[in-house]
Amino acid sequence: MTDRILSETRPLAGPLRLSGRPVLQQAGAVLAGTLLLALASQISVPMVPVPVTMQTLAVTLIGAFYGWRLGAVTVLAWLFEAMLGLPVLAGGASGLAPFMGPTGGYLVSFPIVAALVGWLAERGWGGGNLLRSFMAMLLGNALCLVFGWAWLATLIGAERALLAGVVPFLIGAVLKSALGAAILKVSSRNADADVSA
């Protein structure tokens, strides 16, 4: 009885309320999320040693929309697809090489980033409040850059890693965070309109 009351009063994770849906619907959401990530990976600007892509925007949005658990699972599934050889990473890359090279730290950070943004969104840092949404997205992007820098530093040194793997991505991180927050805000308004209709 107590469990039923708690489950009824506890908010379902993410604006899509996926945690309360049947397993098959959740599996479908995971598949759709991996497709979104694969598409976002192909929107890239080649740079050395790490390309600029829309991956971080997709990762943070998946976390915010799916909730921290399913968001992290979705990103892990996408990375597993890459490891299996599917061309789902930037430039159609796949296999283990991207995880060992300059992009390794960023890739490893993505499930953690999705979980962080999803966790924050479940606690009110989602679409309802534009500033909090922006801050959640920005924290996710910052965490990605920290992981990316730390791994890249082991390959090319700390200062070079900062100049090549962090500084060029700072403006993009702010812009993608603002875009992500705007998308969450619009979707939140639409969801509220559907509920009130």
Side-chain angles (χ1 to χ4, degrees):
M1 178 73 171
T2 305
D3 291 339
R4 190 172 68 91
I5 292 169
L6 285 175
S7 66
E8 288 173 357
T9 57
R10 186 184 306 133
L12 298 171
L16 298 180
R17 310 283 192 258
L18 291 171
S19 65
R21 305 228 176 179
V23 173
L24 281 177
Q25 286 185 5
Q26 291 185 30
V30 169
L31 180 60
T34 62
L35 290 172
L36 174 66
L37 283 160
L39 288 173
S41 299
Q42 305 318 309
I43 303 169
S44 66
V45 177
M47 287 178 54
V48 176
V50 180
V52 174
T53 71
M54 295 302 283
Q55 288 172 337
T56 49
L57 176 62
V59 165
T60 54
L61 283 173
I62 285 170
F65 277 108
Y66 284 25
W68 78 267
R69 287 183 186 92
L70 198 59
V73 166
T74 300
V75 176
L76 285 168
W78 167 65
L79 293 176
F80 187 64
E81 290 171 356
M83 289 179 190
L84 289 178
L86 296 175
V88 295
L89 299 179
S94 63
L96 294 178
F99 295 88
M100 301 294 115
T103 58
Y106 304 95
L107 294 173
V108 167
S109 79
F110 286 156
I112 302 164
V113 168
L116 171 65
V117 175
W119 186 84
L120 289 170
E122 289 171 15
R123 281 150 184 80
W125 291 50
N129 184 304
L130 193 61
L131 180 59
R132 283 187 183 171
S133 294
F134 172 74
M135 291 307 297
M137 296 283 180
L138 194 60
L139 284 170
N141 276 278
L143 184 62
C144 177
L145 291 176
V146 168
F147 270 75
W149 169 80
W151 174 252
L152 197 55
T154 65
L155 302 176
I156 62 173
E159 187 175 345
R160 285 182 62 203
L162 186 66
L163 294 174
V166 176
V167 172
F169 300 98
L170 292 175
I171 292 174
V174 173
L175 293 175
K176 285 187 259 187
S177 297
L179 179 58
I183 291 169
L184 283 173
K185 184 67 174 176
V186 169
S187 66
S188 175
R189 278 194 198 135
N190 290 340
D192 290 345
D194 290 343
V195 168
S196 62

Coordinates of all heavy atoms in Angstrom, one line a residue, residues 141-191:
N141 N 27.8 20.1 -20.2 CA 28.8 20.4 -21.1 C 30.2 20.6 -20.5 O 31.2 20.1 -21.0 CB 28.5 21.7 -21.9 CG 27.5 21.4 -23.1 OD1 28.0 21.0 -24.2 ND2 26.3 21.6 -22.9
A142 N 30.2 21.2 -19.3 CA 31.4 21.4 -18.6 C 32.0 20.1 -18.1 O 33.3 19.9 -18.2 CB 31.2 22.4 -17.4
L143 N 31.2 19.2 -17.6 CA 31.7 17.9 -17.2 C 32.3 17.1 -18.4 O 33.4 16.5 -18.2 CB 30.5 17.1 -16.6 CG 30.9 15.7 -16.0 CD1 31.9 15.9 -14.9 CD2 29.6 15.0 -15.6
C144 N 31.7 17.2 -19.5 CA 32.2 16.6 -20.7 C 33.6 17.2 -21.1 O 34.5 16.4 -21.4 CB 31.3 16.8 -21.9 SG 31.8 16.2 -23.5
L145 N 33.8 18.5 -21.0 CA 35.0 19.1 -21.3 C 36.1 18.7 -20.3 O 37.3 18.5 -20.6 CB 34.9 20.6 -21.4 CG 34.1 21.1 -22.6 CD1 33.9 22.7 -22.4 CD2 34.8 20.8 -23.9
V146 N 35.7 18.6 -19.0 CA 36.7 18.1 -18.0 C 37.2 16.7 -18.3 O 38.4 16.5 -18.2 CB 36.1 18.2 -16.6 CG1 36.9 17.5 -15.5 CG2 35.8 19.7 -16.2
F147 N 36.3 15.8 -18.6 CA 36.7 14.4 -18.9 C 37.5 14.4 -20.2 O 38.6 13.7 -20.2 CB 35.4 13.6 -19.1 CG 34.9 12.9 -17.9 CD1 34.2 13.6 -16.9 CD2 35.1 11.5 -17.7 CE1 33.8 13.0 -15.8 CE2 34.6 10.9 -16.5 CZ 34.0 11.6 -15.6
G148 N 37.1 15.2 -21.2 CA 37.8 15.2 -22.4 C 39.2 15.7 -22.2 O 40.2 15.2 -22.8
W149 N 39.3 16.8 -21.4 CA 40.6 17.4 -21.2 C 41.5 16.5 -20.4 O 42.7 16.3 -20.8 CB 40.5 18.7 -20.4 CG 41.8 19.2 -19.8 CD1 42.7 19.9 -20.5 CD2 42.3 19.0 -18.5 NE1 43.8 20.2 -19.7 CE2 43.6 19.6 -18.5 CE3 41.9 18.3 -17.4 CZ2 44.4 19.5 -17.4 CZ3 42.7 18.3 -16.3 CH2 43.9 18.9 -16.3
A150 N 41.0 15.8 -19.4 CA 41.8 14.9 -18.6 C 42.4 13.8 -19.4 O 43.6 13.4 -19.3 CB 41.0 14.3 -17.4
W151 N 41.6 13.2 -20.3 CA 42.1 12.1 -21.1 C 43.1 12.6 -22.2 O 44.2 12.1 -22.4 CB 41.0 11.3 -21.8 CG 41.5 10.3 -22.8 CD1 41.4 10.4 -24.1 CD2 42.1 9.1 -22.5 NE1 42.0 9.3 -24.7 CE2 42.4 8.5 -23.7 CE3 42.5 8.5 -21.3 CZ2 43.1 7.2 -23.8 CZ3 43.1 7.2 -21.4 CH2 43.4 6.6 -22.6
L152 N 42.8 13.7 -22.8 CA 43.6 14.3 -23.8 C 45.0 14.7 -23.2 O 46.0 14.6 -23.9 CB 42.9 15.5 -24.5 CG 43.4 16.0 -25.8 CD1 43.5 14.9 -26.8 CD2 42.6 17.2 -26.3
A153 N 44.9 15.2 -22.0 CA 46.2 15.6 -21.3 C 47.2 14.5 -21.2 O 48.4 14.7 -21.2 CB 45.9 16.2 -19.9
T154 N 46.6 13.2 -21.0 CA 47.5 12.1 -20.9 C 48.2 11.8 -22.3 O 49.2 11.1 -22.3 CB 46.8 10.8 -20.5 OG1 45.8 10.4 -21.4 CG2 46.1 11.0 -19.1
L155 N 47.6 12.3 -23.4 CA 48.1 12.0 -24.7 C 49.0 13.1 -25.2 O 50.1 12.8 -25.8 CB 47.0 11.8 -25.7 CG 46.0 10.7 -25.4 CD1 44.9 10.7 -26.4 CD2 46.7 9.4 -25.4
I156 N 48.7 14.4 -24.9 CA 49.5 15.5 -25.5 C 49.9 16.5 -24.4 O 50.5 17.5 -24.8 CB 48.6 16.2 -26.6 CG1 47.4 16.9 -26.0 CG2 48.3 15.3 -27.7 CD1 46.6 17.7 -27.0
G157 N 49.7 16.3 -23.2 CA 50.1 17.2 -22.1 C 48.9 18.1 -21.7 O 48.0 18.4 -22.5
A158 N 48.9 18.6 -20.5 CA 47.8 19.4 -19.9 C 47.6 20.7 -20.6 O 46.4 21.0 -21.0 CB 48.1 19.6 -18.4
E159 N 48.6 21.4 -20.9 CA 48.4 22.8 -21.5 C 47.9 22.7 -22.9 O 47.0 23.3 -23.3 CB 49.7 23.6 -21.4 CG 49.5 25.0 -21.9 CD 50.8 25.8 -21.8 OE1 51.7 25.4 -21.1 OE2 50.8 26.9 -22.4
R160 N 48.6 21.8 -23.7 CA 48.1 21.6 -25.1 C 46.7 21.0 -25.1 O 45.9 21.4 -26.0 CB 49.0 20.6 -25.8 CG 50.4 21.3 -26.2 CD 51.3 20.4 -27.0 NE 50.6 20.0 -28.3 CZ 51.0 18.9 -28.9 NH1 51.9 18.0 -28.5 NH2 50.4 18.6 -30.1
A161 N 46.3 20.2 -24.2 CA 45.0 19.6 -24.1 C 44.0 20.7 -23.8 O 42.9 20.7 -24.4 CB 44.9 18.5 -23.1
L162 N 44.3 21.6 -23.0 CA 43.5 22.7 -22.6 C 43.2 23.6 -23.9 O 42.1 24.0 -24.2 CB 44.0 23.6 -21.5 CG 43.2 24.7 -20.9 CD1 41.9 24.1 -20.2 CD2 44.0 25.6 -20.0
L163 N 44.3 23.9 -24.6 CA 44.2 24.8 -25.7 C 43.5 24.1 -26.9 O 42.8 24.8 -27.7 CB 45.6 25.3 -26.2 CG 46.3 26.2 -25.2 CD1 47.7 26.5 -25.6 CD2 45.5 27.5 -25.0
A164 N 43.7 22.8 -27.1 CA 43.1 22.1 -28.2 C 41.8 21.4 -27.9 O 40.9 21.3 -28.8 CB 44.1 21.1 -28.7
G165 N 41.6 21.0 -26.6 CA 40.4 20.2 -26.3 C 39.4 20.9 -25.4 O 38.3 20.3 -25.2
V166 N 39.6 22.1 -25.0 CA 38.7 22.8 -24.1 C 38.3 24.2 -24.7 O 37.2 24.5 -25.0 CB 39.2 22.9 -22.7 CG1 38.2 23.7 -21.8 CG2 39.4 21.6 -22.1
V167 N 39.3 25.0 -24.9 CA 39.1 26.4 -25.3 C 38.3 26.5 -26.5 O 37.3 27.3 -26.6 CB 40.5 27.2 -25.4 CG1 40.3 28.6 -26.0 CG2 41.1 27.3 -24.0
P168 N 38.6 25.8 -27.6 CA 37.8 25.9 -28.8 C 36.3 25.5 -28.7 O 35.4 25.9 -29.5 CB 38.4 25.0 -29.8 CG 39.8 24.7 -29.3 CD 39.6 24.8 -27.8
F169 N 36.0 24.8 -27.6 CA 34.6 24.3 -27.4 C 33.8 25.1 -26.4 O 32.6 24.9 -26.2 CB 34.7 22.9 -26.9 CG 35.3 22.0 -27.9 CD1 36.7 21.6 -27.7 CD2 34.7 21.5 -29.0 CE1 37.3 20.8 -28.6 CE2 35.3 20.7 -29.9 CZ 36.6 20.3 -29.8
L170 N 34.4 26.2 -25.8 CA 33.7 26.9 -24.7 C 32.5 27.7 -25.3 O 31.4 27.6 -24.7 CB 34.6 27.9 -24.0 CG 35.7 27.2 -23.2 CD1 36.7 28.2 -22.6 CD2 35.1 26.4 -22.1
I171 N 32.6 28.4 -26.4 CA 31.5 29.2 -26.9 C 30.4 28.2 -27.4 O 29.2 28.4 -27.1 CB 31.9 30.1 -28.1 CG1 32.8 31.2 -27.5 CG2 30.8 30.7 -28.8 CD1 33.5 32.1 -28.6
G172 N 30.8 27.1 -28.0 CA 29.8 26.1 -28.4 C 29.1 25.5 -27.3 O 27.9 25.2 -27.4
A173 N 29.8 25.3 -26.1 CA 29.1 24.7 -25.0 C 28.0 25.7 -24.5 O 26.9 25.2 -24.1 CB 30.1 24.5 -23.9
V174 N 28.3 27.0 -24.5 CA 27.3 28.0 -24.0 C 26.1 28.0 -25.0 O 25.0 28.0 -24.6 CB 28.0 29.3 -23.9 CG1 26.9 30.4 -23.6 CG2 29.0 29.3 -22.8
L175 N 26.4 28.0 -26.3 CA 25.4 28.1 -27.3 C 24.5 26.8 -27.3 O 23.3 26.9 -27.3 CB 26.0 28.3 -28.7 CG 26.6 29.6 -28.9 CD1 27.3 29.7 -30.3 CD2 25.6 30.8 -28.8
K176 N 25.1 25.6 -27.2 CA 24.4 24.4 -27.1 C 23.5 24.3 -25.8 O 22.4 23.8 -25.9 CB 25.3 23.2 -27.3 CG 25.8 23.0 -28.7 CD 26.6 21.7 -28.8 CE 28.0 21.9 -28.8 NZ 28.8 20.7 -29.1
S177 N 24.1 24.8 -24.7 CA 23.3 24.8 -23.5 C 22.1 25.7 -23.6 O 21.0 25.4 -23.1 CB 24.2 25.3 -22.3 OG 25.3 24.4 -22.1
A178 N 22.3 26.9 -24.3 CA 21.1 27.8 -24.5 C 20.1 27.2 -25.4 O 18.9 27.2 -25.1 CB 21.6 29.1 -25.0
L179 N 20.5 26.5 -26.4 CA 19.6 25.9 -27.4 C 18.9 24.7 -26.7 O 17.6 24.6 -26.8 CB 20.4 25.4 -28.6 CG 19.5 24.6 -29.6 CD1 18.4 25.5 -30.2 CD2 20.5 24.1 -30.8
G180 N 19.6 23.9 -25.9 CA 19.0 22.8 -25.2 C 17.9 23.3 -24.2 O 16.8 22.8 -24.1
A181 N 18.3 24.4 -23.5 CA 17.3 25.0 -22.5 C 16.1 25.5 -23.2 O 14.9 25.3 -22.7 CB 18.0 26.1 -21.7
A182 N 16.3 26.1 -24.4 CA 15.1 26.6 -25.1 C 14.2 25.5 -25.6 O 13.0 25.6 -25.6 CB 15.6 27.4 -26.3
I183 N 14.8 24.4 -26.1 CA 14.1 23.2 -26.5 C 13.3 22.7 -25.3 O 12.1 22.3 -25.5 CB 15.0 22.2 -27.1 CG1 15.6 22.7 -28.5 CG2 14.3 20.8 -27.3 CD1 16.7 21.8 -29.0
L184 N 13.9 22.6 -24.2 CA 13.2 22.1 -23.0 C 12.0 23.0 -22.6 O 10.9 22.5 -22.2 CB 14.2 21.9 -21.8 CG 15.1 20.7 -21.8 CD1 16.1 20.9 -20.7 CD2 14.3 19.5 -21.7
K185 N 12.2 24.3 -22.7 CA 11.2 25.2 -22.3 C 10.0 25.1 -23.3 O 8.9 25.1 -22.8 CB 11.8 26.7 -22.4 CG 10.8 27.7 -21.9 CD 10.5 27.6 -20.5 CE 9.7 28.8 -20.0 NZ 9.4 28.6 -18.5
V186 N 10.2 25.0 -24.6 CA 9.2 24.9 -25.5 C 8.4 23.6 -25.3 O 7.2 23.5 -25.3 CB 9.7 25.0 -27.0 CG1 8.6 24.6 -28.0 CG2 10.2 26.4 -27.3
S187 N 9.1 22.5 -25.1 CA 8.5 21.2 -24.9 C 7.7 21.2 -23.6 O 6.7 20.5 -23.5 CB 9.5 20.1 -24.9 OG 10.4 20.2 -23.8
S188 N 8.2 21.9 -22.6 CA 7.5 22.0 -21.3 C 6.2 22.7 -21.5 O 5.2 22.3 -20.9 CB 8.4 22.7 -20.3 OG 7.7 22.9 -19.1
R189 N 6.2 23.8 -22.2 CA 5.0 24.5 -22.5 C 4.0 23.7 -23.2 O 2.8 23.6 -22.9 CB 5.3 25.8 -23.4 CG 5.8 26.9 -22.5 CD 5.7 28.2 -23.4 NE 6.6 29.2 -22.8 CZ 7.4 30.0 -23.4 NH1 7.6 29.9 -24.7 NH2 8.2 30.8 -22.8
N190 N 4.4 22.9 -24.2 CA 3.6 22.0 -25.0 C 3.0 20.9 -24.1 O 1.8 20.6 -24.2 CB 4.3 21.4 -26.2 CG 4.6 22.4 -27.3 OD1 4.0 23.5 -27.3 ND2 5.6 22.1 -28.1
A191 N 3.8 20.4 -23.2 CA 3.3 19.3 -22.3 C 2.3 19.9 -21.4 O 1.2 19.3 -21.1 CB 4.5 18.8 -21.5

